Amino acid sequence: MYKNKVLVTGGLGFIGSHTVVALQQEGIEVVIIDNLSNSSIDVLGGIAQITGKTPEFENIDLREKEAVRKFFEKYPDIQDVIHFAASKAVGESVEKPLLYYENNISSLVYLLKELQKRKDSRIIFSSSCTVYGQADELPITEDAPVKKAESPYGNTKQIGEEIISDTCRINKQFKASSLRYFNPIGAHPSAQIGELPIGTPQNLVPFITQTAIGKRKELSVFGDDYPTPDGTAIRDYIHVMDLAEAHVKALKRLIDHKEKDNYEVFNLGTGKGNSVLEVIQTFEKATGVKLPYKITDRREGDITAAYADTTKANKELGWKASRSLEDALKSAWKWQKEVQKREEND
Ligand code: WQD
């Protein structure tokens, strides 16, 4: 049993909170840092409802260098960080690039500087398949070229990976993994935690569930003139619990010194691509809810298709996504109904 506490930054966010649950269920003690800019303190209670254990929580903004230093002074034994905390809205990043570069890059640098002061420290970095842009070959392997980012958000993921790999190059005692997520969707089956988009959802699945519950009039399908079987864009939708479990595996790989190199990259997807229309059809079948939608123009910056080659994660992490698109959509719908109930009770 691993005795040290693990720091999860952004641990009250969508993927962060599900990863905290998976860590606690593996008997790993967690300390969460979150500045609540894109999450709610209620998520802490949701985690405790599921695992019976409330993680330690520190309301810190990682852009505050002194606050980061003080945190590590308070927790001298922490040597592992799973780093989710970042701004993540592609469209917003185009409007506010400096907010993204300051938040996503400075925070990472301050974290890394503290970790360099500790022996055998490790970081798991939340990256994204967005670094590949439109890959030339599908499915996408980790060797696929990283392309010029389409957005400042995507650029901060590419730069983040480079900062970490440069740090690993000059400090062989420091170990890191960049996990490139495809499209995380769904919620914990208990519906105690899930995705909490603020304002109008940018991503497909929360927009679908908000439309299905009547919060949105209809879904706009961004283009049906892509070179795909049904004309709509294809993505690799991975259940957030599969993604959470992959983080535990990635952390254990480093703790157990199983890594092949002190810097590694893994694609985390299901290996299967689904089009927007297929997601709609699967949602309707899984929930019995008819989804109103219309076809509109393509969204600026969207790619035609992306789905992962999961061979490396399957083999090296001993991890494989086990939940289906239907499972994920059912859990997302159950969560949306829970959110509605809570809003009605407030
Ligand atoms: C999926 C598909 C849209 C909304 C982005 C980031 C990625 C990660 C996940 C943060 C696309 C279509 C969407 C809608 C639609 N972000 N769509 N109508 O763009 O693949 O990935 O979010 O970690 O880094 O790049 O995800 O859910 O926005 O879109 O038709 O209202 O659904 O065109 O084909 P995307 P998405």
Side-chain angles (χ1 to χ4, degrees):
M1 168 96 86
Y2 188 56
K3 61 182 183 0
N4 280 1
K5 293 176 182 176
V6 171
L7 166 60
V8 179
T9 72
L12 295 183
F14 175 37
I15 304 166
S17 56
H18 290 80
T19 301
V20 168
V21 165
L23 287 165
Q24 287 189 323
Q25 288 178 335
E26 285 291 308
I28 293 174
E29 261 206 270
V30 173
V31 182
I32 290 173
I33 282 181
D34 204 299
N35 69 358
L36 300 174
S37 63
N38 190 21
S39 56
S40 153
I41 191 66
D42 298 343
V43 175
L44 210 51
I47 292 168
Q49 281 289 322
I50 298 166
T51 64
K53 202 168 163 35
T54 306
E56 288 176 73
F57 167 65
E58 304 271 356
N59 183 345
I60 290 172
D61 187 324
L62 293 171
R63 288 170 294 192
E64 309 295 330
K65 189 175 180 180
E66 193 45 23
V68 175
R69 191 189 61 72
K70 285 210 178 91
F71 173 85
F72 280 92
E73 219 168 56
K74 182 177 172 187
Y75 294 91
D77 299 334
I78 285 184
Q79 62 188 101
D80 302 291
V81 179
I82 303 184
H83 181 44
F84 293 103
S87 303
K88 63 163 202 171
V90 174
E92 183 189 45
S93 77
V94 175
E95 305 305 315
K96 302 174 184 168
L98 286 181
L99 182 143
Y100 275 68
Y101 287 115
E102 184 192 34
N103 190 33
N104 295 6
I105 304 298
S106 312
S107 308
L108 174 63
V109 169
Y110 298 154
L111 269 180
L112 290 171
K113 287 176 75 124
E114 290 305 322
L115 289 173
Q116 301 316 296
K117 299 173 190 167
R118 299 185 173 203
K119 203 168 150 329
D120 297 331
S121 55
R122 303 172 275 250
I123 190 167
I124 304 284
F125 177 61
S126 168
S127 189
S128 167
C129 65
T130 206
V131 302
Y132 298 114
Q134 177 55 68
D136 302 325
E137 282 175 48
L138 294 173
I140 304 172
T141 69
E142 288 82 355
D143 301 329
V146 169
K147 290 191 175 172
K148 169 139 181 40
E150 305 264 344
S151 69
Y153 159 76
N155 205 20
T156 65
K157 290 302 177 186
Q158 290 179 8
I159 297 168
E161 289 191 4
E162 286 162 13
I163 291 171
I164 292 170
S165 110
D166 283 344
T167 307
C168 291
R169 184 171 37 76
I170 53 114
N171 176 2
K172 290 301 177 191
Q173 305 311 311
F174 181 60
K175 301 196 281 190
S177 300
S178 287
L179 305 182
R180 292 172 177 169
Y181 312 152
F182 280 67
N183 286 62
I185 62 168
H188 190 271
S190 66
Q192 290 297 332
I193 54 174
E195 201 166 357
L196 281 168
I198 295 177
T200 309
Q202 299 306 303
N203 295 125
L204 177 66
V205 171
F207 204 105
I208 285 179
T209 57
Q210 288 193 12
T211 303
I213 207 143
K215 203 168 176 172
R216 308 283 160 195
K217 183 167 154 292
E218 65 184 347
L219 171 76
S220 298
V221 173
F222 297 147
D224 68 347
D225 58 348
Y226 284 98
T228 61
D230 66 17
T232 62
I234 290 170
R235 296 289 186 274
D236 184 333
Y237 296 95
I238 176 169
H239 195 298
V240 66
M241 283 313 293
D242 277 326
L243 200 55
E245 289 160 9
H247 285 74
V248 179
K249 295 269 189 177
L251 180 67
K252 283 186 166 177
R253 177 181 172 84
L254 298 183
I255 290 171
D256 299 341
H257 311 292
K258 295 267 195 306
E259 74 283 351
K260 291 230 166 62
D261 184 4
N262 72 323
Y263 179 63
E264 295 179 306
V265 174
F266 294 99
N267 284 346
L268 296 182
T270 65
K272 188 175 179 316
N274 284 107
S275 73
V276 176
L277 288 179
E278 282 171 341
V279 173
I280 294 170
Q281 287 142 20
T282 307
F283 179 82
E284 291 181 329
K285 178 168 161 273
T287 63
V289 177
K290 188 91 187 84
L291 197 84
Y293 69 87
K294 65 181 177 184
I295 305 291
T296 63
D297 291 340
R298 294 183 180 192
R299 178 172 64 179
E300 187 68 28
D302 275 355
I303 58 167
T304 300
Y307 49 93
D309 178 317
T310 59
T311 313
K312 186 178 175 189
N314 299 158
K315 188 163 158 281
E316 300 297 333
L317 295 183
W319 166 88
K320 186 167 173 51
S322 63
R323 296 162 177 93
S324 67
L325 176 64
E326 191 164 349
D327 295 333
L329 292 170
K330 272 187 183 152
S331 67
W333 179 230
K334 185 178 174 191
W335 166 245
Q336 184 66 62
K337 290 187 285 186
E338 175 62 25
V339 168
Q340 168 103 336
K341 217 189 300 171
R342 291 180 189 184
E343 283 169 354
E344 282 161 1
N345 293 342
D346 280 355

